[in-house]
Amino acid sequence: MFNTSANNFNKTPSLFPPSKPFVAAGINEPKIVHLYINNNSPRLGAQNPSIGAPFTTRKLYADSAVTRARQARHGLNVKAVADKEHDQFIVAKAVVSVKLTVGGLLTNVGIASGLDDIITDLLGKTLLLELVSAEAQPNTRSERSTVNGYAHRSTIEDGLVKYVANFVIPSYFGEVGAILVENEHHKEMHIIDILLDGLPFDSLQFTCNSWVQPKFDNPQKRVFFTTKSYLPSQTPSGLKRLREKELETLRGDGTRERKSSERIYDYDTYNDLGDPDKDPQLARLILGGSKELPYPRRCRTGRPRTKTDPSSESRSTSVYVPRDEQFSELKQSQFGFKTAHSILHAIILSLETTITDPEQGFPYFTAIDSLFHEGINCPGLKERGLLQDMLPRLIRTVTDLGDNVLRFELPMMFDRDRFSWFRDEEFARQTLAGLNPFSIKCLTEQEWPIMSKLDPNIYGPPESALTTKLIESQIKGSMTVKQALKEKRLFIIDYHDVFMLYVNKVREIEGTTLYGSRTLFIFDDESLRPLAIELTRPPMDGKPQWKQAFVPGTCATSCWLWKLAKAHALAHDSCYHQLISHWLRTHCCTEPYIIAANRQLSVMHPIYRLLHPHFRYTMEINALARLALINAGGIIESSFSPKKYALEMSSIIYGLEWRFDREALPADLISRGMAVEEPSAPHGLNLTIEDYPYASDGLELWSILKQWVTDYVNHYYSDPSLVESDEELQAWWTEIRTVGHGDKKDETWWPNLKTPQDLIHIITTIIWVTSGHHAAVNFGQYAYAGYFPNRPTITRTKMPIEDPTEDEWNHFHKKPVETLLQCYPSQIQATRVMAILDVLSVHSPKEEYLGEKLEPAWKEEPNIKAAFEKFNGRLKELEGIIDERNANEDLKNRNGVGIMPYELLKPFSSPGVTAMGVPNSISI
């Protein structure tokens, strides 16, 4: 048998107090731990280990010798000593790494909360740790008793406070499968990891990265599992109950208002966008939970209902998200939307002192240019905090003025060619290589002539103004519309039907207008060229429907009408980009995946560990968006054409257009006619337009992602039947479909989840949305839209040819430039949007890029580690592929005089506004 001393265990009270024989907190371990070996054990066979021989077994057995161990770390040596009488024990040490908060050590460990915490820390009782055996009792199948140890503060290294606990572990304990943590202080602690050392087989790493609340606030002990992943059916017997109990904790009971310290994931509708108690004009309809306004679900906060509207939830200055979903203190202090919101609020207050008329537009184009050169003097801005430290790109000190000045960096495209935004070629190019390459579709013969799907009795005659005769007059050469359609040369961006539903409503609001629009392009073998823009207004105020198609001009009047029509089309595209391509399809639709994963997939589940890096910070940024970006009166409503109907419109589009099966990039391209299936082609597709930068780079990235997911899934689901029998996985996918996206639960297009191939496709789609798709629509925002005439977010006046008064027509004739500037956003709208786009386009210094970080759990499996290294290598290769494409002069959409290279899907980036880099997750 083994023992920890040459003397009988009970004869060493100074080392092992009888009252707590397995608690070794505060002891000074000997440098040598002698483990006595029973030479008569039948398991030894002919072996007779000598004293000091290293162990070679993985487990400790009560009736045998340990035949394998290792030299322990931190100076703890293990020797084998023969004994016939005594029990077996081993002394192990846990090192807990606790992260310092921005406020420093005292704030972190809770000393600021009083003498009680000081005494607790000095006595070595900061944390109570309990080791949990992975295996249950062999006979009763009940869980083994835990082994306890108190941790005491030891050292401070690299911003981490180290706490040490010692354990005396009985030989029969078996492998450690989990560790329970109880915080003895009165303040939460952020535990990074726990290293358990001195075990016979190897050290154990517990990756925590979590806040642990004081036991006085939450008496339930926190459980952390080892980094080894298990499918539910493969869970060691001693961990099954803990696995289930932890999921029950995360689900909560659906009651009460959530506290900021809690870790509960639950669902609710978007019933907190309005603020009717503050102002009846801020009341908003509830999105989600009805056929009329379907929507994905958000995280439930449980705040009280408003007094004015019992169906709406009241608002507060902060929005609950589960504690571990909140930004790290470092990320929050360095960068974040909350910081941006505070800064923008200060900027807007300062601007209001300078610009007394909120509707004041720019008097001339040089006034727009001055935003990047001279800036705007904002009296009092300097006194509103350390703004220049938080947003150094925007806030500059100008000594001549003696105050802070709001001055913008030159956007990349404006820096390369200040007149590019004015050209039709650039207008067309950006539909394939710009900020919203998701809307363009290839027209088919069946779709021509374009007919409205709306009720003609309500919206007037359905015939389009885009007639065959009109289009053929714009096509160069003798090609007919029929030929162009057959050869797949006609393309369209169609915002007619859904926008038409809101034209009359929006036009009741001062300072904005709206049309239903269609923009038609032709492909001439090298590039797209715009052919026509159709704008339609339904009957209103006793007037019949108004519609007109505008084409590139041949005289002064038609040229200026064309420029104004482009401004309206661009504003529509900006709205669709921000509300649908960006907010809805990435941020909003991803939140149910995250909630369901935490409710149904254990942290030990390999699929949870695969997805978790792609979910970091998304719920926090979504909560902040509801606080200040998409809320009633927020930045979107104040600066985009639909105004208070913006989110309601996104709900209608979600109901009509969103399908999970088309969120996969190949399926999306095929559904828009931008690609056709071709098994022999790279990625199994032929692009309708080969020089389509978003699609060509995106397909490379999609293929790399899919291979990584394939390698990962096939490792854990080597038997295909394991997918369908995995109850956690099936519950996750069911909850996404029936609850998180419950308004679409009856759709037939939801993929099945029965085979590894099904799982690979579903997971690849989710990761693509959170990484490649989001990067493509987010990190180029300032580069493409920072100079707002290139992409105005709102058009404030109607076309001068739509039912004009005599004064309106005369003004257009005499001052067309002024007419265009009046149509553009006001000064406050423009500067507000420019500032927020600058913030949203920034990569933080701590950005986690796709394929860059090997997660601790992935190191456990050599096959997964090798697959990840291959994944990382292919992403680095993609960088070179994209650079090579951007240098190719034959690719006109990404190379040419003054042209911005397309780099939005380059995997890696330095910090700042770079218009490249694909982070793991939607973190801004």
Side-chain angles (χ1 to χ4, degrees):
M1 305 290 274
F2 302 66
N3 210 320
T4 53
S5 172
N7 300 316
N8 184 282
F9 177 82
N10 293 324
K11 294 179 181 179
T12 55
S14 61
L15 277 180
F16 307 110
S19 59
K20 292 185 178 180
F22 301 141
V23 179
I27 69 170
N28 295 315
E29 312 97 299
K31 285 295 181 181
I32 302 295
V33 177
H34 297 87
L35 299 183
Y36 282 81
I37 299 176
N38 181 352
N39 292 324
N40 296 325
S41 171
R43 289 183 183 269
L44 283 173
Q47 299 181 32
N48 186 11
S50 62
I51 294 177
F55 299 129
T56 57
T57 190
R58 181 170 174 80
K59 292 187 177 182
L60 297 172
Y61 295 93
D63 60 343
S64 69
V66 172
T67 57
R68 191 188 74 171
R70 64 172 192 83
Q71 193 86 353
R73 297 182 184 178
H74 306 295
L76 180 65
N77 296 317
V78 182
K79 290 187 177 181
V81 182
D83 189 358
K84 297 182 179 180
E85 302 179 13
H86 308 312
D87 291 332
Q88 310 163 13
F89 303 94
I90 188 168
V91 175
K93 178 171 69 173
V95 179
V96 184
S97 297
V98 175
K99 193 168 188 176
L100 281 168
T101 64
V102 174
L105 173 63
L106 298 185
T107 302
N108 190 70
V109 299
I111 291 180
S113 64
L115 183 62
D116 189 24
D117 278 346
I118 296 177
I119 295 173
T120 299
D121 194 56
L122 292 177
L123 291 177
K125 293 185 178 182
T126 300
L127 296 169
L128 172 62
L129 308 180
E130 297 183 31
L131 304 184
V132 180
S133 175
E135 300 299 331
Q137 298 279 7
N139 298 325
T140 64
R141 307 309 298 168
S142 60
E143 295 174 9
R144 299 183 188 275
S145 299
T146 60
V147 175
N148 302 347
Y150 274 107
H152 60 277
R153 193 169 75 228
S154 175
T155 61
I156 301 177
E157 303 173 10
D158 300 325
L160 298 176
V161 187
K162 302 288 186 176
Y163 294 85
V164 176
N166 298 295
F167 302 92
V168 178
I169 307 173
S171 61
Y172 57 77
F173 192 78
E175 292 188 57
V176 177
I179 191 165
L180 301 177
V181 180
E182 184 176 78
N183 180 0
E184 302 289 312
H185 273 303
H186 286 79
K187 295 191 72 174
E188 63 181 1
M189 302 178 75
H190 189 238
I191 299 180
I192 300 300
D193 58 33
I194 302 173
L195 179 66
L196 186 60
D197 214 343
L199 300 176
F201 51 89
D202 204 350
S203 60
L204 271 181
Q205 181 87 17
F206 296 86
T207 302
C208 306
N209 289 319
S210 181
W211 293 93
V212 177
Q213 301 304 314
K215 69 176 183 180
F216 311 99
D217 295 334
N218 184 359
Q220 183 174 323
K221 296 182 178 71
R222 279 295 306 277
V223 59
F224 296 106
F225 298 99
T226 66
T227 52
K228 184 165 180 60
S229 298
Y230 297 98
L231 297 178
S233 61
Q234 300 164 349
T235 309
S237 57
L239 303 178
K240 287 183 177 180
R241 183 188 64 85
L242 276 179
R243 180 172 186 152
E244 295 169 0
K245 183 179 178 182
E246 176 70 353
L247 286 174
E248 290 173 1
T249 298
L250 294 171
R251 292 178 194 133
D253 60 7
T255 64
R256 297 188 300 105
E257 181 176 357
R258 297 272 67 87
K259 299 177 182 178
S260 61
S261 61
E262 292 182 318
R263 301 165 52 240
I264 293 175
Y265 296 78
D266 204 354
Y267 301 95
D268 208 342
T269 59
Y270 279 75
N271 60 358
D272 65 339
L273 301 179
D275 196 355
D277 286 350
K278 181 178 181 180
D279 185 344
Q281 295 299 316
L282 295 179
R284 295 293 180 269
L285 296 175
I286 296 170
L287 307 183
S290 68
K291 292 182 179 180
E292 295 74 22
L293 292 173
Y295 221 53
R297 298 301 189 265
R298 63 166 175 93
C299 181
R300 179 186 177 276
T301 64
R303 290 176 292 186
R305 301 296 169 140
T306 63
K307 298 176 182 178
T308 308
D309 178 10
S311 63
S312 295
E313 186 176 273
S314 60
R315 293 176 58 78
S316 55
T317 55
S318 62
V319 183
Y320 166 81
V321 294
R323 187 65 179 97
D324 290 339
E325 301 294 338
Q326 298 171 29
F327 287 159
S328 67
E329 284 201 321
L330 180 61
K331 182 177 176 68
Q332 185 64 52
S333 64
Q334 290 181 333
F335 175 72
F337 185 80
K338 187 178 290 185
T339 300
H341 175 246
S342 300
I343 294 171
L344 288 171
H345 181 66
I347 289 172
I348 292 167
L349 289 176
S350 298
L351 284 172
E352 288 174 350
T353 65
T354 303
I355 306 169
T356 56
D357 180 5
E359 299 299 319
Q360 180 180 332
F362 290 89
Y364 31 79
F365 275 95
T366 52
I368 301 174
D369 297 350
S370 71
L371 294 173
F372 309 102
H373 303 299
E374 293 81 21
I376 301 176
N377 184 27
C378 298
L381 190 59
K382 192 173 184 179
E383 286 75 35
R384 297 186 186 277
L386 300 175
L387 301 181
Q388 61 270 32
D389 296 331
M390 298 178 186
L391 278 183
R393 285 171 47 84
L394 299 186
I395 309 298
R396 310 297 182 81
T397 299
V398 180
T399 56
D400 293 343
L401 296 176
D403 206 339
N404 278 100
V405 167
L406 180 68
R407 188 170 67 182
F408 293 86
E409 291 281 341
L410 281 174
M412 191 183 300
M413 67 167 293
F414 186 72
D415 189 37
R416 284 179 171 243
D417 182 356
R418 63 175 299 182
F419 299 111
S420 60
W421 68 275
F422 209 64
R423 294 195 301 270
D424 288 351
E425 295 84 357
E426 182 65 13
F427 172 57
R429 188 189 75 86
Q430 288 186 30
T431 65
L432 299 171
L435 198 53
N436 185 35
F438 293 81
S439 290
I440 189 165
K441 302 175 183 178
C442 182
L443 270 175
T444 65
E445 294 182 73
Q446 292 75 26
E447 294 172 315
W448 187 267
I450 303 168
M451 303 291 284
S452 173
K453 294 186 276 294
L454 299 177
D455 187 343
N457 296 321
I458 300 176
Y459 294 96
E463 291 83 6
S464 173
L466 295 173
T467 64
T468 299
K469 182 178 180 180
L470 175 72
I471 300 308
E472 288 184 345
S473 70
Q474 297 297 307
I475 297 177
K476 295 178 180 179
S478 58
M479 182 177 291
T480 64
V481 166
K482 187 174 182 180
Q483 288 175 303
L485 291 168
K486 187 174 183 179
E487 296 178 16
K488 297 185 177 180
R489 291 177 179 268
L490 284 180
F491 298 84
I492 192 170
I493 295 178
D494 191 347
Y495 299 138
H496 179 277
D497 290 3
V498 174
F499 278 43
M500 282 283 282
L501 295 171
Y502 287 91
V503 170
N504 287 345
K505 295 180 180 179
V506 168
R507 286 193 171 206
E508 293 176 355
I509 305 171
E510 291 186 8
T512 186
T513 193
L514 193 64
Y515 292 99
S517 69
R518 295 186 178 103
T519 305
L520 200 64
F521 303 86
I522 190 166
F523 183 65
D524 62 6
D525 293 330
E526 283 194 345
S527 59
L528 281 178
R529 180 166 57 86
L531 291 180
I533 296 170
E534 178 195 64
L535 300 177
T536 306
R537 182 213 69 201
M540 65 178 298
D541 299 331
K543 298 177 182 178
Q545 175 179 275
W546 179 91
K547 61 184 174 184
Q548 186 160 331
F550 300 88
V551 297
T554 56
C555 65
T557 300
S558 60
C559 282
W560 276 106
L561 287 172
W562 172 247
K563 290 178 177 64
L564 283 159
K566 279 203 301 181
H568 284 279
L570 285 166
H572 299 166
D573 195 61
S574 292
C575 293
Y576 193 92
H577 159 260
Q578 204 64 266
L579 290 170
I580 309 303
S581 302
H582 187 189
W583 162 253
L584 177 69
R585 291 180 63 181
T586 65
H587 290 259
C588 186
C589 286
T590 295
E591 187 154 341
Y593 310 151
I594 303 172
I595 298 172
N598 284 278
R599 288 169 56 86
Q600 302 297 342
L601 296 177
S602 167
V603 293
M604 286 196 289
H605 200 293
I607 298 303
Y608 180 91
R609 284 175 163 157
L610 174 60
L611 286 171
H612 185 253
H614 305 286
F615 291 163
R616 287 185 182 125
Y617 303 130
T618 301
M619 290 181 70
E620 168 83 343
I621 199 65
N622 286 2
L624 294 173
R626 302 203 315 275
L627 183 67
L629 185 65
I630 64 172
N631 61 300
I635 293 172
I636 292 292
E637 286 196 1
S638 63
S639 305
F640 285 73
S641 287
K643 289 281 191 170
K644 70 177 184 179
Y645 298 106
L647 266 290
E648 183 183 325
M649 182 185 293
S650 75
S651 168
I652 297 296
I653 295 173
Y654 170 75
L656 292 173
E657 298 182 7
W658 187 86
R659 297 174 48 154
F660 181 88
D661 63 328
R662 291 184 180 173
E663 292 303 286
L665 176 61
D668 171 59
L669 295 172
I670 292 169
S671 71
R672 292 189 282 122
M674 301 304 293
V676 293
E677 292 187 81
E678 175 51 63
S680 63
H683 316 300
L685 296 177
N686 279 332
L687 293 176
T688 307
I689 298 176
E690 287 296 325
D691 187 10
Y692 185 0
Y694 161 73
S696 55
D697 293 358
L699 286 171
E700 296 285 351
L701 182 56
W702 170 271
S703 176
I704 293 169
L705 283 172
K706 186 175 181 180
Q707 186 58 58
W708 156 239
V709 175
T710 298
D711 292 341
Y712 190 99
V713 167
N714 286 342
H715 175 77
Y716 287 102
Y717 294 92
S718 54
D719 181 350
S721 67
L722 289 173
V723 171
E724 201 164 5
S725 64
D726 186 334
E727 62 266 25
E728 286 185 5
L729 188 69
Q730 293 298 327
W732 169 71
W733 184 235
T734 298
E735 189 166 283
I736 286 173
R737 292 181 291 111
T738 62
V739 184
H741 285 275
D743 296 334
K744 287 181 172 279
K745 65 179 182 299
D746 297 324
E747 299 288 356
T748 58
W749 41 253
W750 284 105
N752 293 318
L753 181 52
K754 295 182 178 180
T755 67
Q757 289 70 34
D758 296 336
L759 180 58
I760 288 165
H761 182 73
I762 289 168
I763 298 298
T764 305
T765 299
I766 291 174
I767 294 177
W768 163 255
V769 169
T770 63
S771 57
H773 180 145
H774 181 258
V777 297
N778 186 78
F779 293 103
Q781 290 189 90
Y782 191 76
Y784 284 100
Y787 184 72
F788 72 85
N790 184 61
R791 289 187 67 80
T793 59
I794 189 171
T795 44
R796 298 185 296 152
T797 59
K798 61 183 178 62
M799 290 291 291
I801 202 172
E802 181 203 331
D803 303 328
T805 65
E806 185 175 349
D807 289 343
E808 288 172 342
W809 188 250
N810 287 337
H811 184 268
F812 171 56
H813 261 254
K814 293 176 181 179
K815 296 184 177 181
V817 174
E818 195 171 286
T819 300
L820 180 59
L821 288 169
Q822 288 174 347
C823 185
Y824 281 153
S826 68
Q827 291 190 37
I828 286 184
Q829 287 172 331
T831 51
R832 179 191 294 127
V833 170
M834 290 165 68
I836 194 62
L837 293 186
D838 183 86
V839 172
L840 295 179
S841 301
V842 170
H843 288 295
S844 75
K846 293 295 182 179
E847 193 80 86
E848 297 177 6
Y849 294 99
L850 195 65
E852 189 176 50
K853 178 184 176 184
L854 179 64
E855 295 291 317
W858 303 343
K859 296 178 184 178
E860 286 287 323
E861 300 291 342
N863 289 344
I864 298 299
K865 183 179 179 181
F868 181 84
E869 290 171 350
K870 182 172 67 174
F871 177 45
N872 175 267
R874 292 189 68 192
L875 289 169
K876 291 177 179 176
E877 290 177 5
L878 179 57
E879 295 247 313
I881 292 171
I882 292 175
D883 286 340
E884 184 178 1
R885 288 172 174 173
N886 286 327
N888 187 343
E889 295 182 358
D890 293 331
L891 300 177
K892 307 299 183 183
N893 288 323
R894 57 199 311 161
N895 184 291
V897 176
I899 295 294
M900 269 181 60
Y902 190 80
E903 299 180 306
L904 290 174
L905 293 177
K906 287 188 72 173
F908 309 108
S909 174
S910 57
V913 178
T914 62
M916 66 175 71
V918 182
N920 272 326
S921 63
I922 304 165
S923 59
I924 186 59

